[in-house]
Structures are given as structure tokens and as C-alpha cells.
Amino acid sequence: MPRPAPLKAPRLSAPDLPARLEPATISSHVDLIGALIEGASGDVDAAGAHVSESTVRNLDVGTLDLARSRFADVEIDELRAVTIAAHESRWQSVRMRGGRIATLDLSRGSLAGVEIRGLRIDYLTLAGSEASDLLFVDCIIGSLDAPQAKLQRVAFHGCRVTDVDNRGWRAEHVDLRGLEAVHYLDMPRLRGTTRSERQTNALGRYYAAAACGDVRYGG
């Protein structure tokens, strides 16, 4: 049997930010370069915004609409939101640090070189997205919804999640060793991922059920 290819880690670099940032307000279809966006509250409509080489920090919002937005070389710090609607968005070289988000919708999007660190997210959806070079560090996630996602060079370090909907996802070089997950919805789709021996043993009954149907213990 051929040996599996060596696991490839996410390729990441810090956002390329200018030495000086100019205060700015994000809004629908705005085009911002070298901006400092901070202190917004309430509901914010920034659908279709293009933001590059900028910092977003200390937002405390209800709904932040980032649908079909483009973020490149953006640092996001201490973002608190009920809903971030970023479906069909394109994020490249983005780093998120700290905060609390009830719903983070990145469905049908394109993520490349994205780091999410120290966030608490109740519901995260990557459904139908293409994500490469994606890293989660020290995150607590309630539900991870990722059906039909295409994942390449994705890793988790020190993270916890309750449920993972991985139906139909395509995984290549996905490192799950740092993700403590209670349940995966589609066990056969864990092909292409790397797990620890302990994780594999813990999920053993689910593997058996996927392969053999009803599995009962004892008696």
C-alpha cells in the first residue's frame, strides 16, 4: 500500500498593512484602502464593500452585512456581532482575533490565507465554500456547517466544536488533530483528513455505524 502524502500545513502570512491608517466608515459598495474602521454599532450594511490593507476593530454590532464583499490584507480585532452575513464573499490574507459572534456566514465564499484566532462562534457556516490555507486557533464553535465545502490545507489548533456537518465536503490536507469534535454527520467524508489515534478511537462507534449500520454495545 502506498504511503499517504505528507500533510501540508496552511500557508499564511500576516496582512500587509501600511504604517499609517486613515479613519473611515464602512458602507455598502465602498472601496477602502489603508483604512481604520472601528467603533461601529447597530446594524451595518456593507454588502459589496472592497476593503484592502486595512484594520477593523472593536465593532459591536447586531447584523454586519458583508455579502459579496472583498477583503484583502485585512486585520479584524475584537469583533462582536449577532450575525455576520458574509456569504459569497472573497477573503484573502485576513486575520481575525478575539471576539464573539453568534452566526458567521461564509457560505459560497472563497477564503485563502485566513487565520481565525481566539473567537467564540455559536454557528459557523462554510457551506459550498472553497477554502485554502485556513487556520483556526483557540476557537470555541457550537456548530460547524460545511456541506459541499472544498477544503485544502486547513488546520485547527486548540479548538472545540459540538457538531460538524461535513456532508459532501472535499478535504485535502485537513488537519483535525487540534479540533475536539463531539460528532461528524458524514463519517466517510473524513477521508483526506488527519486525526489522532485518540480521536479515531473516540469516534469508533460512528465509523462502525457508517460501515455496518446499527451498532449496539453491551447485552
Side-chain angles (χ1 to χ4, degrees):
M1 178 180 297
R3 293 184 179 180
L7 179 64
K8 295 181 181 179
R11 300 191 293 249
L12 299 170
S13 59
D16 186 9
L17 302 177
R20 180 178 176 83
L21 299 171
E22 295 294 332
T25 300
I26 192 168
S27 59
S28 177
H29 299 287
V30 72
D31 195 343
L32 298 175
I33 300 176
L36 173 60
I37 303 162
E38 62 179 345
S41 60
D43 294 336
V44 178
D45 180 3
H50 292 189
V51 182
S52 60
E53 300 177 29
S54 298
T55 293
V56 179
R57 68 188 184 198
N58 297 327
L59 270 61
D60 192 346
V61 298
T63 297
L64 175 58
D65 188 350
L66 295 174
R68 298 171 297 280
S69 64
R70 293 186 181 183
F71 277 26
D73 289 302
V74 175
E75 193 165 70
I76 304 172
D77 291 334
E78 296 300 330
L79 176 57
R80 293 170 295 280
V82 176
T83 300
I84 298 180
H87 49 277
E88 299 177 59
S89 60
R90 297 180 64 184
W91 289 13
Q92 183 173 1
S93 190
V94 173
R95 180 166 58 187
M96 299 182 71
R97 297 183 299 188
R100 172 73 184 267
I101 302 169
T103 297
L104 177 55
D105 182 355
L106 294 167
S107 61
R108 305 185 305 281
S110 174
L111 308 176
V114 174
E115 178 181 345
I116 299 177
R117 181 181 292 267
L119 264 73
R120 186 181 182 97
I121 306 169
D122 294 336
Y123 175 74
L124 169 62
T125 178
L126 297 169
S129 291
E130 294 190 7
S132 60
D133 301 307
L134 174 61
L135 174 65
F136 292 88
V137 180
D138 297 332
C139 292
I140 300 175
I141 303 169
S143 294
L144 173 56
D145 181 44
Q148 307 301 322
K150 183 178 180 181
L151 307 177
Q152 185 176 45
R153 296 185 302 277
V154 176
F156 297 83
H157 297 162
C159 297
R160 289 185 287 141
V161 65
T162 301
D163 297 303
V164 181
D165 184 349
N166 62 318
R167 290 173 299 171
W169 77 359
R170 291 169 290 170
E172 184 178 358
H173 300 290
V174 174
D175 189 351
L176 299 176
R177 290 174 295 177
L179 179 65
E180 293 299 322
V182 175
H183 182 247
Y184 291 91
L185 195 58
D186 189 347
M187 298 301 294
R189 285 291 179 171
L190 289 178
R191 297 185 187 95
T193 70
T194 298
R195 300 165 308 284
S196 69
E197 181 178 358
R198 179 185 59 80
Q199 288 173 317
T200 301
N201 290 338
L203 293 169
R205 67 178 61 189
Y206 298 111
Y207 279 113
C212 307
D214 187 21
V215 177
R216 303 185 184 186
Y217 292 84

